[in-house]
Amino acid sequence: MIPLSVAWDDIGGLVDAHERFLAGARVDRDVRDSVLDSWKRCRYAGLAPDRLQAPYAPDLALDDRFLLAADPVLKNLIVSLADVGMTVALCDAQGRMVQRLGGDRQLCDRLDEVRFAPGFDASELVAGTNGVGTALAQRKPFYVIGREHFADCLQPFACAGSPVRDPLSGRIEAILDLTCLRDNGDPTMLRLVREAAHDIEARLLEQATQRERALLAAYQRAGPAPGHWPRQPEFALPGGRGTGHDGGDLSRIDLAVLREKAEELIASPQRTHDEVTVSGGRTAILLRRQVEVAAGETGVVVEARVLGGPRLRPVVPATSAVPAAVTMPTVTLTPARPPSPTARPVPATDDGASGRLLLLGEPGVGRLAVLARRRLELLHEAGVRIGTTLDVTRTAEELAEVAVPRFADFTAVDLPDAVLRGDEPGPLGADTSLRRVALGAVHEESHLYGVGDPVRYVPSTPQARSLESRQSVLEPVLTRADGWIAQDPERLGRALAAGVHSLITVPLRARGVSLGVVSFYRSEKPAPFEDDDLSLAQELAARAAVCIDNARLYTREHNTALTLQRSLLPRGRSEQSAVEVAYRYLPAQAGVGGDWFDVIPLSGARVALVVGDVVGHGLHAAATMGRLRTAVHNFCSLDLPPDDLLTHLDDLVGRLDREEGWAAENTAPDSGIVGATCLYAVYDPVSRSCSLTRAGHLLPAVVRPDGNAEFVDLPSGPPLGLGGMPFETVELDLAEGSQLVLYTDGLIEDRHRDIDSGLDRLRTVLTRADRTPEDTCEAVLDALLPTRPSDDVALLVARTHVLGPERVAQWDLPSDPAVVSRARAMVTGQLADWCLDELAFTTELVASELVTNAIRHATGPVQLRLIRDRALICEVCDGSSTSPRLRRARNEDEGGRGLFLVAQLTERWGTRYTPDGKVIWTEQPLP
């Protein structure tokens, strides 16, 4: 096999990567990610690769229990490596070397030269990247060879290190390392050291089992303590061991509750008893006492006594101190003592109570059992409480609320602004600008950044390292974490003075993207974070990250749909004098919908008021709304009557419905079916008449000038798209100053209120005569809109104006060509009265042409009307339904040029149909 270092040197992968990294160049493609992360930590710590200052500590030693488990494994490992020139190093949990075993003379001399020897510190912050220190920093097995070492003096070596954990607590007890010269290095070293570490951990677990068995045997040989009840066979023993008795008539739930309380009692040295209520109204008294074998090992037993019958009072009241009769002194037991006859089952006592061994274990193991159960409960609570909404900020707050105070004393969630906007953030790392989104704290004086503050972590901080490496970072002792303190020495110095002592920082990652970072701090809790806490923090962060990403994606879609919808809704107020309008559009909290409104100027100074509602929410509804609004504008340009316009719109929606149905079967199964309601009204300020028709929409409201409010009795046509039924139009006469109120169902209906009560409340609010349309909108929204509307709300209020006789001139003309000259004279005279002499020539020519065409080609009486509004309007009405057509006359044609001339002289012109004929109209801008 070719040594890994030789192969990499031959291809040039690490020849100059180390120098280029120190010079600030990117070496991502040349160096493994784990090695590069270690190099960055070394650089943040200020290490110089050409000189190391390794401190020396004499008389280092490991726990005898650990050495007892490790010695056989190390001896076998040394024998297996005798012929390969490799040394075995055993270091403590701080990375300081305690033992170095095996290896030839040449290797040991070279290791002594670089101070890789017993007593010296090999941690990463002291010695740089190496098998011992980096395995400890990353808390997992690590292999490093040749130029992958950060320090120049270590580059001639290859080493593989692995943490050795206590299988019960999960804490790192030691670091096991294999080291050889670089040319002898092989990746299989990693497998060897990992297997050896697992063997030591297995022997540690076996020791714990042996201690537990010894304690059980000692307990069974001992008699009852003075003042205690006789013992019965145990309910259950640790690990599932027992005598086959199940606690009599106690149910499984009772046994589980007793087992849980017994674990808590074992884990609590200050407590000696507990009371538990079990089924049948009975009470179980749990007593805790210590036992000790001749070898000096101690343990704790918990005995249970069940009091039979609900009428019996507890032996030890819950509020009283433990009486002397039930106080358990420490009992010394010897394995050589013969079994006590009291170990045999005995009948229950007269009061219906029986004493039984419930649980046996060590206080440390009991603490771990309690912690494990609490961690499971915390994970369950996190799954229930995190992600209840699709709001990024609220999800971050839920993570902080779950973690504090059960897991940490302070929890800070930092996200980039892009995530809050719904965008996908770019690569996150050192100097990335973040924002404190949530902060959970056991008390207000956290001395950390507050919610809303911008946060930019310096490269040496655990947060920056976590973002760059995409790995969690555990800092069990913050007083020694200089990189963390460098973020803000004054602020974080106050935090340390307040008791903050350990930190876990975890990147929030979902779907391969880093969304931010969460930091868990402990201050009031005496125990610093451990490896098991690191796993729990990672699980909490992983669940929260997925929820935050879901909220981010929803925010992006919501913002996109909202932007689309707002771009499709009216921008500003249209230029018209018929009505004074005010409107409101409020999107739903749950998603953008398809509500829309419009104010469309029509010919003859009239105006069209439209309100509609598309079924559904999201982009599909918004896009459909845009198509319908465009269609309404196009139909309005044809000056169609209200019922005809809705008929055309109904046909359009039917076609869209069929297209969507075809698309759902072939390409887009989630696109849904189009459906919509619409209310269309046309108001004429000259006649004060308002024509209304609706397609499945809610009734409009009219507020009279005297303040009387009523809903228009308007026949309801079918919603758009159903077809088959004609639409009916209702004509109203509106006094000047009347208010016409149009709205969508989101205003008056929600899950807590039906339509009828909403309509009654709306009528009550509208009963005011002195409001402007803006004031009416505000009053209606304040009274009817819920805090978080579940549906879109569109509201349109229009107060009517009237064009009086002083702004309108109208003449009925006989169908006689001789009347044309008289029409020209009347037009000229009226324009003179209006001081519009500048338009006299053009208007005289237009009126002459239109009247002549009406007399020549139409039937019935002819009517000429001038309206002075924002523009000068000239209308000619006749009894024919034939519309003139603009065409280009040929050179030899004698006629056909009049309408073309009219189109050139005016700004706009067109035709609209009436029940009795048609109207040809033109508009000219006023001077």
Side-chain angles (χ1 to χ4, degrees):
M1 177 181 292
I2 300 176
L4 188 59
S5 62
V6 176
W8 283 4
D9 285 349
D10 289 343
I11 64 175
L14 289 175
V15 172
D16 62 345
H18 191 267
E19 288 74 8
R20 289 189 290 112
F21 169 77
L22 295 175
R26 294 180 61 90
V27 293
D28 305 60
R29 297 184 178 181
D30 302 322
V31 185
R32 288 186 293 150
D33 291 342
S34 56
V35 173
L36 184 58
D37 293 338
S38 176
W39 285 6
K40 291 178 180 178
R41 292 194 295 267
C42 296
R43 183 172 62 186
Y44 298 153
L47 297 184
D50 56 343
R51 59 183 184 278
L52 296 178
Q53 299 294 331
Y56 177 78
D59 302 327
L60 294 175
L62 293 174
D63 183 75
D64 292 339
R65 176 181 62 88
F66 181 86
L67 293 177
L68 181 64
D71 281 344
V73 177
L74 297 181
K75 289 178 180 178
N76 293 335
L77 185 60
I78 293 171
V79 171
S80 64
L81 300 175
D83 300 330
V84 296
M86 194 172 295
T87 184
V88 179
L90 187 63
C91 303
D92 64 12
Q94 285 75 44
R96 300 171 299 181
M97 189 177 298
V98 178
Q99 296 180 5
R100 195 182 70 194
L101 309 171
D104 56 28
R105 182 73 179 183
Q106 179 187 5
L107 175 62
C108 291
D109 289 343
R110 298 196 64 176
L111 290 175
D112 289 341
E113 292 176 0
V114 298
R115 297 184 178 182
F116 196 75
F120 286 99
D121 194 338
S123 62
E124 189 180 72
L125 295 181
V126 172
T129 307
N130 69 89
V132 174
T134 307
L136 179 60
Q138 296 190 351
R139 314 185 78 81
K140 62 183 179 181
F142 184 77
Y143 177 71
V144 58
I145 183 169
R147 296 179 183 271
E148 289 184 329
H149 289 87
F150 185 79
D152 296 340
C153 62
L154 296 180
Q155 292 183 3
F157 305 98
C159 49
S162 176
V164 183
R165 289 180 168 84
D166 186 324
L168 296 179
S169 67
R171 290 191 298 267
I172 294 178
E173 297 286 339
I175 303 294
L176 185 62
D177 174 82
L178 301 181
T179 301
C180 65
L181 293 175
R182 183 183 65 176
D183 292 341
N184 297 327
D186 193 291
T188 56
M189 297 167 57
L190 190 64
R191 177 177 59 83
L192 292 176
V193 72
R194 185 190 296 117
E195 291 178 352
H198 288 172
D199 291 342
I200 296 175
E201 292 171 352
R203 290 181 58 83
L204 287 172
L205 184 61
E206 184 178 350
Q207 286 182 5
T209 304
Q210 291 173 351
R211 290 197 305 273
E212 186 180 80
R213 290 173 178 171
L215 291 172
L216 176 60
Y219 173 82
Q220 290 175 335
R221 291 184 176 94
H228 284 72
W229 51 75
R231 295 201 190 97
Q232 290 283 28
E234 67 275 5
F235 295 141
L237 293 178
R241 296 184 301 278
T243 62
H245 298 269
D246 61 358
D249 59 346
L250 291 177
S251 66
R252 290 186 176 182
I253 296 179
D254 292 336
L255 293 176
V257 172
L258 292 178
R259 177 68 177 261
E260 178 179 338
K261 294 298 182 180
E263 290 174 354
E264 295 178 357
L265 203 56
I266 288 178
S268 305
Q270 296 81 10
R271 297 171 57 193
T272 59
H273 78 286
D274 199 358
E275 295 185 16
V276 183
T277 301
V278 295
S279 60
R282 295 170 294 174
T283 301
I285 306 298
L286 306 184
L287 294 182
R288 174 190 189 274
R289 68 186 180 100
Q290 286 186 317
V291 294
E292 182 177 347
V293 298
E297 296 172 337
T298 61
V300 176
V301 295
V302 175
E303 295 174 324
R305 184 180 190 183
V306 180
L307 305 181
R311 297 181 181 178
L312 296 179
R313 302 180 63 182
V315 174
V316 183
T319 57
S320 65
V322 181
V326 297
T327 302
M328 301 285 291
T330 299
V331 181
T332 301
L333 307 171
T334 58
R337 182 176 177 177
S340 171
T342 58
R344 299 190 301 270
V346 296
T349 55
D350 295 339
D351 63 354
S354 58
R356 307 168 189 263
L357 173 62
L358 180 61
L359 197 64
L360 180 148
E362 297 178 83
V365 179
R367 181 184 70 87
L368 295 175
V370 173
L371 288 178
R373 184 176 66 252
R374 290 176 179 172
R375 286 165 179 159
L376 289 175
E377 293 173 351
L378 183 61
L379 288 177
H380 171 73
E381 184 177 354
V384 174
R385 293 179 55 185
I386 299 178
T388 59
T389 67
L390 287 174
D391 181 83
V392 174
T393 300
R394 180 56 193 154
T395 304
E397 293 171 349
E398 289 169 345
L399 171 60
E401 291 170 359
V402 168
V404 177
R406 297 178 59 180
F407 177 66
D409 295 314
F410 304 101
T411 298
V413 183
D414 304 317
L415 305 176
D417 290 336
V419 173
L420 299 176
R421 295 191 304 265
D423 300 331
E424 184 169 315
L428 303 182
D431 294 332
T432 299
S433 179
L434 304 175
R435 188 169 301 279
R436 180 63 48 85
V437 177
L439 177 64
V442 292
H443 52 77
E444 295 182 359
E445 291 297 328
S446 65
H447 303 290
L448 304 173
Y449 294 103
V451 175
D453 291 347
V455 182
R456 187 183 295 271
Y457 289 108
V458 299
S460 61
T461 57
Q463 289 85 353
R465 289 156 44 194
S466 180
L467 289 173
E468 284 197 351
S469 65
R470 300 185 292 276
Q471 301 292 329
S472 304
V473 176
L474 169 62
E475 290 286 358
V477 184
L478 285 177
T479 54
R480 298 200 297 262
D482 296 336
W484 175 74
I485 299 175
Q487 171 69 27
D488 191 337
E490 182 179 355
R491 179 193 298 268
L492 299 183
R494 293 196 302 268
L496 291 175
V500 175
H501 56 70
S502 59
L503 162 69
I504 291 178
T505 177
V506 187
L508 294 168
R509 289 182 56 80
R511 302 177 179 92
V513 177
S514 294
L515 303 173
V517 64
V518 56
S519 303
F520 302 99
Y521 294 90
R522 279 187 179 173
S523 62
E524 298 183 353
K525 292 181 173 61
F529 285 117
E530 303 173 350
D531 280 1
D532 286 348
D533 296 314
L534 183 63
S535 301
L536 178 58
Q538 291 170 342
E539 182 66 24
L540 288 174
R543 297 190 181 194
V546 172
C547 296
I548 289 175
D549 195 47
N550 289 338
R552 179 189 67 83
L553 294 174
Y554 170 79
T555 301
R556 182 178 66 181
E557 180 180 350
H558 181 77
N559 291 341
T560 301
L562 185 59
T563 301
L564 172 62
Q565 187 174 40
R566 291 195 182 277
S567 67
L568 297 174
L569 289 172
R571 297 185 179 182
R573 292 174 171 83
S574 57
E575 294 185 358
Q576 50 83 32
S577 303
V579 292
E580 176 189 353
V581 297
Y583 51 81
R584 297 290 188 275
Y585 170 75
L586 299 175
Q589 294 290 336
V592 175
D595 293 12
W596 92 93
F597 64 92
D598 246 320
V599 179
I600 307 173
L602 300 177
S603 64
R606 298 171 305 140
V607 65
L609 306 174
V610 191
V611 169
D613 186 0
V614 176
V615 174
H617 292 85
L619 285 173
H620 178 68
T624 303
M625 178 270 292
R627 299 167 77 177
L628 296 184
R629 180 170 179 259
T630 301
V632 170
H633 273 265
N634 291 334
F635 293 145
C636 284
S637 66
L638 300 177
D639 259 326
L640 297 176
D643 52 346
D644 287 350
L645 186 142
L646 286 190
T647 300
H648 286 287
L649 197 61
D650 179 68
D651 293 339
L652 173 63
V653 174
R655 290 197 301 272
L656 294 178
D657 191 3
R658 290 188 292 272
E659 291 175 4
E660 294 294 338
W662 179 87
E665 295 177 359
N666 294 273
T667 58
D670 60 343
S671 60
I673 301 300
V674 174
T677 64
C678 184
L679 173 64
Y680 184 79
V682 175
Y683 173 68
D684 188 344
V686 177
S687 63
R688 297 186 296 103
S689 66
C690 182
S691 303
L692 304 98
T693 186
R694 63 178 178 138
H697 203 81
L698 297 170
L699 293 173
V702 173
V703 183
R704 303 292 180 179
D706 59 1
N708 182 33
E710 61 181 2
F711 293 103
V712 180
D713 187 10
L714 183 61
S716 175
L720 299 175
L722 297 183
M725 294 292 291
F727 296 99
E728 299 184 42
T729 300
V730 170
E731 297 282 346
L732 296 178
D733 287 333
L734 298 179
E736 183 175 8
S738 300
Q739 290 190 8
L740 188 63
V741 182
L742 302 104
Y743 50 90
T744 56
D745 58 355
L747 179 67
I748 62 171
E749 182 184 20
D750 60 30
R751 66 186 65 181
H752 305 296
R753 181 178 61 201
D754 58 23
I755 290 181
D756 292 337
S757 60
L759 291 174
D760 291 340
R761 193 170 185 180
L762 176 61
R763 179 190 290 110
T764 302
V765 174
L766 292 177
T767 308
R768 281 279 300 273
D770 55 345
R771 289 197 188 110
T772 65
E774 286 288 343
D775 293 338
T776 301
C777 285
E778 291 297 329
V780 169
L781 294 183
D782 291 343
L784 280 84
L785 196 64
T787 304
R788 298 177 63 89
S790 58
D791 196 6
D792 286 21
V793 174
L795 174 65
L796 178 62
V797 178
R799 182 162 64 180
T800 62
H801 296 304
V802 174
L803 295 179
E806 70 282 1
R807 302 178 63 179
V808 179
Q810 180 174 307
W811 303 278
D812 292 327
L813 304 176
S815 183
D816 183 357
V819 81
V820 175
S821 60
R822 187 157 54 102
R824 289 197 298 267
M826 290 187 293
V827 168
T828 303
Q830 184 62 54
L831 293 181
D833 294 340
W834 286 343
C835 300
L836 296 176
D837 299 284
E838 298 179 19
L839 301 179
F841 175 77
T842 303
T843 308
E844 180 184 359
L845 183 59
V846 169
S848 174
E849 181 63 32
L850 295 182
V851 171
T852 301
N853 286 342
I855 294 174
R856 179 179 299 177
H857 302 291
T859 60
V862 177
Q863 186 181 75
L864 173 63
R865 185 168 70 168
L866 294 180
I867 302 174
R868 181 169 61 87
D869 190 28
R870 293 177 177 268
L872 179 61
I873 303 170
C874 179
E875 296 182 342
V876 174
C877 175
D878 59 52
S880 172
S881 59
T882 303
S883 175
R885 181 171 60 90
L886 182 65
R887 65 184 181 87
R888 184 178 296 275
R890 295 188 296 269
N891 293 333
E892 62 273 14
D893 291 343
E894 296 182 0
R897 296 175 177 83
L899 196 57
F900 177 80
L901 183 61
V902 170
Q904 297 300 312
L905 294 176
T906 59
E907 187 176 54
R908 299 172 57 222
W909 76 278
T911 304
R912 71 172 181 268
Y913 294 93
T914 65
D916 301 324
K918 68 176 183 297
V919 175
I920 309 296
W921 58 268
T922 65
E923 289 185 3
Q924 302 174 70
L926 296 177

